[in-house]
Amino acid sequence: MVKGGVDKKKLIELVNRPELFEQTNFSYVTEDSFYSALLLDVASYQCNEEEAIEIWSLICEHHGHLSRELNRDIDFFVSILDYFTHINQKLDNPVIIEINVLKRNKMLAMKDSLTGLFNRRYLDSAMEKEFKRAKRYQGFFSILLLDLDNFKGINDSKGHLFGDKILRELGKYLLEECREEDTACRYGGEEFCIILPETTSAGAINFAERLRINLHENEFFEKNNVTFSGGIATYPEHASTIIDLFHCADKSLYLAKYAGKDRIINNYKYHRRFARFEKSWSVFYYPLDEEFPKDRNEFITQEVSLGGLRFESSEKMTVDDRLMLHIYPIDNKNESIKIVGIIRRIRNLPNECFEYGTEFFDLKAEQYNRMKKVLPES
């Protein structure tokens, strides 16, 4: 529709920018800022929308006048330059940017030079655009935060140049795996964010798991033991603002790290893979690498689930320590359940005591079924 004598579609054709408002780098453009944004982009002239409409109308009239006077079709950019040089002299030194140079510079400004993905600045504008679209049309979208596991250790052991190579390869991988409508960005360091338009939380989980599993089948990543953890949040199911959406995804990512890495968690507020029960069971334990331990320590569980257990102990252990657990859920101490556990969380308690969160590792079907029998409705 023509507004103020200037048709939007015709104007975009005249400046040879058919893709202008399909590119997310113009996501700040709204219905009320089209003409002023285009004028700033093409001629570096800043004004309000009302003035911009008038200027574009005058430029179009001037373009028609020049074409008629010279009896040939004049390049529209010549008309813009002539307008600002001889008619509207508010610009002392008008600069009309060559469109391919402009495209290249804008692309460089919004890309991360190492990974080839979009950068944080671009992510912010793309998120704002997607949020406004979903809110306006009562739609939905998801975001996926990814963080490389143990990346500091890779940098320390193999050097930062190799670390950069991993980031570059991951950038290529994400570009290949993402859909055309998705937006993959480097969020910072070894952390990445993918915007998934019109994607439910279930769809985001499927997408993220496919990314994670396919990474294991990639020769380069598999050879170098590269994995990532991920956190998902969906608008408006999990959050109603951009800040809260990122907070939710970030917390989900943190839980994925805590739960053992190389996994995806969706919405930390409701995430609980297994029901937990307050149980006081006896557990004998010793370090997994001690095939014939001299001493067997004991603790009483405070909370138990099919995925792990929580206990307190005065013995000092560290995150990722592996223990052989002999769990006695019944009084008969001759019938223990042997399970490998990994320390995932540590909290300092008074009196030089510690609270440990332990995850069961490589649980076999027989172990799982025995645990299930002794936990109510698990």
Side-chain angles (χ1 to χ4, degrees), residues 361-373:
F361 177 74
D362 196 24
L363 208 61
K364 302 296 188 293
E366 186 268 337
Q367 297 168 317
Y368 178 87
N369 290 331
R370 288 191 63 188
M371 286 292 293
K372 194 169 183 179
K373 285 181 180 178

Side-chain angles (χ1 to χ4, degrees), residues 106-120:
K106 284 187 175 292
M107 186 62 69
L108 290 174
M110 62 186 180
K111 285 294 185 71
D112 174 63
S113 59
L114 180 61
T115 63
L117 302 177
F118 291 115
N119 57 26
R120 176 64 182 273

Side-chain angles (χ1 to χ4, degrees), residues 70-287:
L70 297 175
N71 197 26
R72 60 185 174 87
D73 188 22
I74 299 298
D75 186 277
F76 193 65
F77 282 89
V78 172
S79 302
I80 297 173
L81 181 59
D82 191 68
Y83 170 81
F84 280 110
T85 302
H86 298 104
I87 299 174
N88 183 341
Q89 298 180 355
K90 292 183 179 181
L91 291 177
D92 294 331
N93 296 293
V95 176
I96 308 302
I97 304 173
E98 199 280 319
I99 216 67
N100 290 325
V101 174
L102 178 66
K103 286 181 181 179
R104 184 172 65 251
N105 289 341
K106 284 187 175 292
M107 186 62 69
L108 290 174
M110 62 186 180
K111 285 294 185 71
D112 174 63
S113 59
L114 180 61
T115 63
L117 302 177
F118 291 115
N119 57 26
R120 176 64 182 273
R121 179 183 177 185
Y122 181 88
L123 172 64
D124 291 341
S125 64
M127 274 294 297
E128 185 71 26
K129 178 181 180 181
E130 190 58 38
F131 177 77
K132 287 180 178 179
R133 184 201 61 79
K135 187 175 183 179
R136 180 176 182 180
Y137 297 106
Q138 298 182 335
F140 51 87
F141 72 99
S142 297
I143 63 171
L144 168 63
L145 288 183
L146 301 177
D147 190 89
L148 286 169
D149 298 324
N150 308 311
F151 188 68
K152 184 179 182 300
I154 294 174
N155 272 335
D156 292 343
S157 61
K158 297 188 177 182
H160 288 276
L161 289 178
F162 187 76
D164 287 348
K165 180 176 175 60
I166 288 178
L167 293 174
R168 279 195 300 271
E169 290 300 319
L170 185 63
K172 294 178 184 177
Y173 173 77
L174 293 179
L175 288 174
E176 291 172 356
E177 294 290 329
C178 286
R179 303 168 302 179
E180 185 177 350
E181 62 269 28
D182 300 332
T183 301
C185 306
R186 186 181 180 189
Y187 191 58
E190 65 271 24
E191 198 167 5
F192 300 81
C193 179
I194 303 175
I195 303 174
L196 305 167
E198 298 183 10
T199 304
T200 63
S201 58
I205 292 172
N206 291 336
F207 171 81
E209 283 295 345
R210 177 173 60 81
L211 277 183
R212 189 184 65 83
I213 292 170
N214 287 350
L215 195 78
H216 286 277
E217 298 176 0
N218 181 288
E219 183 178 353
F220 172 79
F221 296 120
E222 182 67 18
K223 178 182 177 181
N224 293 287
N225 298 315
V226 176
T227 62
F228 60 68
S229 302
I232 290 170
T234 301
Y235 171 87
E237 181 181 348
H238 303 147
S240 58
T241 69
I242 292 177
I243 293 177
D244 289 344
L245 196 67
F246 270 108
H247 176 73
C248 186
D250 191 55
K251 286 291 186 181
S252 298
L253 174 59
Y254 172 81
L255 280 182
K257 291 285 190 180
Y258 160 72
K261 305 175 184 178
D262 189 21
R263 65 194 63 204
I264 307 295
I265 285 184
N266 175 41
N267 186 20
Y268 80 100
K269 291 182 180 178
Y270 306 105
H271 176 76
R272 179 164 285 189
R273 188 178 178 189
F274 301 110
R276 301 173 186 178
F277 304 93
E278 292 184 3
K279 295 290 182 180
S280 298
W281 293 348
S282 295
V283 179
F284 288 100
Y285 69 96
Y286 50 86

